[in-house]
Amino acid sequence: MPAVLVAIPEEAAVFTRFAHDVISEGLREGTVLIESESGPFLLVITGAGMTAAAAATALTLHHPPAGVEIAAVISAGTCGGMPGRVKRGDIVAATRCVDWSADCTSVGYEWGQITDEHVRYLSDRHLLSAAIADGAVAGVFASANVFATPESVATITAGFPDAIIADMESAAIAQIAYRAGVPFLSLTCVSDMCSGDGGDEFNANVFDASEASARAVLRLCATIALANAPAEIA
């Protein structure tokens, strides 16, 4: 079954509203098993930021609940949009994820590349194609432990011209999913634009954006055979 990962409880609450049944007994805190019209899936609240997201993803993939086999990892929830490339309310799908804060260029690596790691992590092509067919805007997701501002947008787009959104989790989740050989896609909704007042805009739109992302993720789960989707990397 797929594991759906979100950063915060507000993003998770929407999924439980759509559920036929929510099972938490015997599971780690922040993890529930959901039965829905789209089939069963594991819903995990990772916590915000790259470290929390990586840790939760690793736990989910390497120590899943008894009897659960994770066929795909889908990162859901909200994100900040790059002005002029997407708009608030857009459903966005990652073509690839990058850590825009990683800088080992002084020792010969590319910007965004940690020593001996890949520069970017591609989304699974089957999951991505299904999301695009459902109307998602596709592009590069740029992640870091930073709530993006106009200044950081300028930095991100200088290094990654195809970046369409910024978030604080997708690249970390993608890296752990790749290491585990599990198909990955980040499918989120733009809650705010990276324009300097994103905190207020995010707070005003987090619930609507979370619902839009959840609906898109549930449609994805219902329309693709996740277990047969191979993992990819570049």
Side-chain angles (χ1 to χ4, degrees):
M1 71 176 64
V4 176
L5 277 55
V6 296
I8 57 176
E10 292 89 339
E11 295 168 337
V14 183
F15 284 99
T16 61
R17 290 212 321 264
F18 294 140
H20 296 323
D21 193 16
V22 179
I23 301 167
S24 59
E25 185 176 353
L27 302 181
R28 282 187 295 271
E29 183 178 359
T31 299
V32 294
L33 180 61
I34 289 185
E35 296 284 351
S36 73
E37 289 184 358
S38 301
F41 61 91
L42 202 65
L43 178 65
V44 180
I45 302 174
T46 65
M50 300 278 273
T51 302
T57 307
L59 278 172
T60 299
L61 292 178
H62 296 291
H63 300 283
V68 172
E69 182 176 350
I70 305 300
V73 171
I74 302 172
S75 179
T78 61
C79 62
M82 299 289 171
R85 302 186 178 192
V86 291
K87 62 184 183 299
R88 184 166 56 82
D90 280 349
I91 298 296
V92 288
T95 55
R96 58 190 184 274
C97 297
V98 299
D99 177 355
W100 68 267
S101 67
D103 186 357
C104 295
T105 55
S106 64
V107 289
Y109 290 89
E110 293 186 41
W111 184 22
Q113 183 180 22
I114 296 293
T115 307
D116 293 329
E117 290 291 344
H118 295 279
V119 180
R120 59 193 67 83
Y121 292 87
L122 293 183
S123 297
D124 178 81
R125 66 178 182 272
H126 301 290
L127 300 178
L128 179 61
S129 294
I132 292 172
D134 192 44
V137 180
V140 173
F141 281 27
S143 305
N145 286 320
V146 178
F147 204 91
T149 64
E151 292 75 18
S152 51
V153 166
T155 301
I156 293 166
T157 54
F160 306 99
D162 296 333
I164 60 171
I165 69 96
D167 70 10
M168 299 173 67
E169 293 85 25
S170 289
I173 296 171
Q175 181 177 350
I176 301 301
Y178 163 70
R179 283 176 171 267
V182 178
F184 164 83
L185 180 69
S186 190
L187 185 61
T188 59
C189 181
V190 178
S191 58
D192 56 275
M193 304 305 295
C194 303
S195 56
D197 58 352
D200 291 338
E201 191 178 8
F202 171 79
N203 290 331
N205 298 299
V206 58
F207 291 106
D208 288 345
S210 296
E211 179 171 342
S213 172
R215 289 183 182 276
V217 168
L218 290 171
R219 291 193 299 271
L220 177 65
C221 291
T223 57
I224 192 164
L226 296 175
N228 295 325
E232 294 190 23
I233 183 63

